[in-house]
Amino acid sequence: MNIQFLGHSGFIVTLGGKRILFDPFIGGNPLNNTTNIDDIACDLILLSHGHADHCADAEQIARQNDCTIISNYEVVNWFGQKEIKGHPLNHGGMTTIDGITIKYVNAIHTSSMPDGSYGGNPGGFVVWNDDECLYFAGDTALTMDMKLIPMTCPKVTVSILPIGDNFTMGFEDAAIAAQFVECDNIVGCHFDTFGYIEIDHAAAKQAFEAKGKTLHILEIEEIIDL
Ligand code: NI
Ligand code: MN
């Protein structure tokens, strides 16, 4: 699959010809001065939880593409009040849209909307078609529940895991998460955007290498095929 990094936890993943946008936080990201939000084209928007650093630009991008937001019930409802199309999921549930199956899985974190209203419980996504499978962890601590993913989903080809510590797991725990989900190819997210989550890239890569895993740290707008 083809993965483009938009900074922080924002990605466009192309799977089976569909462009899936995850957690867009572009306008407010101090590290991304290159991406023009008006140019973002996608078929679906997946939001892991309600925090502004994951859904700040979802409304505009959903409108300009007339596309559906998939998230938990509370996040979808919040955007629904702005007349954005949505498909709600809750933990353990999945749906198939245009040949792509999307499952909402557990994350240990918090969730509130940018205006402070209730954002439900945070989650991650496992997304697959007949050929490939992606785990997008969202903001989360390391959790034993990650072991359920290889038991209940197809073999995970690529995992996008937070590695920045402080608000999520750090890279040492993320390397254990890669073992739990039985995935060798990891793309890092949720690092360096703010002072709290600045990391040593070489040390992060080494932590994964020590477990026989590869950590990819992308530049903003960089595209990788995995
Ligand atoms: Ni968060
Ligand atoms: Mn976050």
Side-chain angles (χ1 to χ4, degrees):
M1 74 192 79
N2 185 281
I3 299 172
Q4 182 176 33
F5 184 45
L6 298 177
H8 201 55
S9 293
F11 291 86
I12 290 177
V13 175
T14 307
L15 182 66
K18 292 282 171 201
R19 287 169 62 83
I20 305 167
L21 174 69
F22 289 89
D23 285 5
F25 172 62
I26 296 154
N29 183 346
L31 300 187
N32 188 348
N33 301 310
T34 46
T35 305
N36 185 349
I37 299 167
D38 299 343
D39 293 339
I40 294 179
C42 60
D43 300 298
L44 279 175
I45 301 176
L46 272 56
L47 302 179
S48 61
H49 64 297
H51 288 159
D53 62 316
H54 297 261
C55 57
D57 298 308
E59 182 181 345
Q60 181 192 327
I61 299 168
R63 279 191 209 290
Q64 74 197 19
N65 290 282
D66 189 29
C67 70
T68 298
I69 287 179
I70 299 177
S71 187
N72 70 35
Y73 183 78
E74 290 79 7
V75 170
V76 164
N77 251 352
W78 191 80
F79 282 98
Q81 286 162 10
K82 301 169 186 291
E83 294 179 353
I84 303 292
K85 290 188 285 188
H87 182 118
L89 291 173
N90 214 327
H91 301 86
M94 60 187 181
T95 186
T96 300
I97 298 173
D98 294 337
I100 296 171
T101 300
I102 299 161
K103 183 171 186 175
Y104 197 57
V105 296
N106 291 352
I108 296 184
H109 191 66
T110 55
S111 178
S112 50
M113 304 312 300
D115 63 2
S117 58
Y118 178 56
N121 284 317
F125 296 97
V126 186
V127 178
W128 69 87
N129 65 5
D130 288 342
D131 304 318
E132 299 174 298
C133 179
L134 169 80
Y135 171 46
F136 179 90
D139 281 5
T140 185
L142 176 65
T143 158
M144 294 296 279
D145 287 347
M146 291 167 179
K147 291 190 172 188
L148 294 172
I149 290 171
M151 296 169 70
T152 58
C153 301
K155 163 86 184 149
V156 176
T157 324
V158 182
S159 295
I160 298 177
L161 302 178
I163 55 173
D165 216 327
N166 197 84
F167 297 120
T168 66
M169 59 186 173
F171 55 75
E172 295 93 347
D173 284 3
I176 297 170
Q179 292 180 306
F180 283 4
V181 297
E182 300 174 9
C183 177
D184 293 334
N185 262 311
I186 312 305
V187 176
C189 71
H190 218 273
F191 63 94
D192 286 358
T193 317
F194 319 110
Y196 286 124
I197 60 174
E198 277 171 17
I199 61 162
D200 177 337
H201 292 200
K205 287 182 177 175
Q206 179 51 42
F208 282 82
E209 230 171 82
K211 298 189 183 305
K213 312 286 185 190
T214 304
L215 172 67
H216 304 274
I217 295 182
L218 306 185
E219 299 293 329
I220 290 191
E221 293 203 342
E222 186 179 346
I223 296 172
I224 191 169
D225 217 342
L226 290 170

